[in-house]
Amino acid sequence: MLNPIDTDAVIRDGRVAGAFPGEMHEGVAWWVAACFVVVSRAQQMAVAHDGHVTTRGFHRRFCRGAINAQHFSCQVADLGEANEAQLVHAMQALGNSPGALLSTTRDGGRQTVTIRLYDAEGQLLAEDTGLAKVREMIATDRVPIPVNDQAKGRITMRRDLVETT
């Protein structure tokens, strides 16, 4: 694995979070997304971000990882900038699909990137509902890759799901 991370420090407490640069890099978003698709067996998912310039890079990588997870052909509804309530509404509108919200906070000179994963019922992923499995897959370098081009999903802009809330 290129650029490994301390998975126990970064993937915990119901989220994926770490200092950028340092504890996290944009590749982590790809890994998390691909593993989340496999763990949740998602055929579709909603993804949103907070609009921060740093978050946008992580968001792009997350979406790419989600569409490239094994044979799942996951369809990503890219909501663009949205808050948690808008994300959960979009997840419900998509037929109770899982989702992810990416954000960046700044404390002095330190930026912390956070990825929150939501199950199909709109609840944050917890240790016993998949987060531990995502962490284990990344820690053991078992990040899923696409099996072929036909298994690749697609990213679709879905601002319409945000504007209706």
Side-chain angles (χ1 to χ4, degrees), residues 138-150:
I138 294 170
T140 59
D141 198 17
R142 291 192 352 239
V143 174
I145 58 173
V147 292
N148 58 48
D149 282 342
Q150 290 74 34

Side-chain angles (χ1 to χ4, degrees), residues 36-116:
F36 182 44
V37 166
V38 171
V39 166
S40 64
R41 307 190 64 74
Q43 298 293 312
Q44 174 172 264
M45 116 176 3
V47 182
H49 64 85
D50 65 356
H52 190 282
V53 65
T54 299
T55 310
R56 289 182 183 150
F58 280 82
H59 174 259
R60 280 189 296 279
R61 293 294 289 271
F62 188 96
C63 291
R64 303 288 304 160
I67 68 168
N68 281 293
Q70 286 181 340
H71 62 278
F72 285 91
S73 190
C74 185
Q75 304 303 305
V76 173
D78 182 352
L79 307 178
E81 189 174 339
N83 61 35
E84 183 181 41
Q86 292 167 318
L87 170 66
V88 171
H89 175 269
M91 291 164 52
Q92 292 169 345
L94 291 168
N96 293 335
S97 295
L101 180 62
L102 291 81
S103 61
T104 300
T105 56
R106 184 179 287 279
D107 182 17
R110 175 185 163 120
Q111 293 185 100
T112 300
V113 175
T114 302
I115 303 170
R116 288 186 170 77

Side-chain angles (χ1 to χ4, degrees), residues 5-27:
I5 61 165
D6 181 348
T7 53
D8 290 331
V10 172
I11 305 171
R12 61 181 167 68
D13 301 331
R15 61 181 173 44
V16 179
F20 174 75
E23 296 171 320
M24 294 249 306
H25 53 81
E26 290 176 348

